[in-house]
Amino acid sequence: MTAQRRTRLERVRAAAGIASLALQQIEDDVRADDVDQEELAAILRELIEDTDPPGGFMAAVAQLLTVAARRAEQVEPDRDGDASCPLHEAAALITDNAGMRLIWAARALHPQGDLV
C-alpha cells in the first residue's frame, strides 16, 4: 500500500467517522421525548428531499455506491461482476426501497408536504 493510498484511506475513514457522528446526532434527535409525529415526518423528509446534497442523504449514499460499483467494474480481476453487481443492487435498493419507504412513513405520520 502506497503512502497516497494510506492517505486516501485515512481521509475516507475520517469522513465516515464524521458521517457516523452526524447520523448519531439525527438518531438522538429522533429519540427525543418531545418529537411529535409532524416533526418526525419532517426529519424523515430531510433524509430524502432535494436539499443539500441534491436528492437528499439517501440519494447521496446510493450515488456513492454507484460510483464504487463503476470503479469495481474496472478493477475486478475477472470482470465478472462479483463486486460491481452487488454494489449496483445496493444502490438501487436504497433508492427504490429505502427511499420510498421513508416517503411512505413520512406521509403516514404527517401528510402535508408530500414529495410524490
Side-chain angles (χ1 to χ4, degrees), residues 3-49:
Q4 182 180 10
R5 288 192 182 185
R6 278 193 301 270
T7 302
R8 180 178 295 126
L9 183 56
E10 289 169 359
R11 285 193 316 264
V12 168
R13 189 174 292 131
I18 292 167
S20 180
L21 289 172
L23 289 172
Q24 183 61 53
Q25 178 61 53
I26 295 169
E27 184 179 331
D28 291 346
D29 289 334
V30 167
R31 288 179 194 260
D33 290 336
D34 61 343
V35 172
D36 62 12
Q37 68 186 43
E38 184 176 346
E39 188 173 20
L40 180 56
I43 290 168
L44 295 174
R45 285 186 178 101
E46 284 298 316
L47 298 175
I48 52 176
E49 286 185 345

Side-chain angles (χ1 to χ4, degrees), residues 76-97:
E76 287 174 304
D78 297 327
R79 298 195 184 266
D80 56 5
D82 282 349
S84 59
C85 286
L87 289 168
H88 280 297
E89 290 170 1
L93 286 171
I94 288 172
T95 303
D96 299 342
N97 293 336

Side-chain angles (χ1 to χ4, degrees), residues 55-72:
F57 175 78
M58 299 300 286
V61 173
Q63 176 63 26
L64 171 63
L65 294 175
T66 298
V67 169
R70 289 181 183 146
R71 184 64 184 143

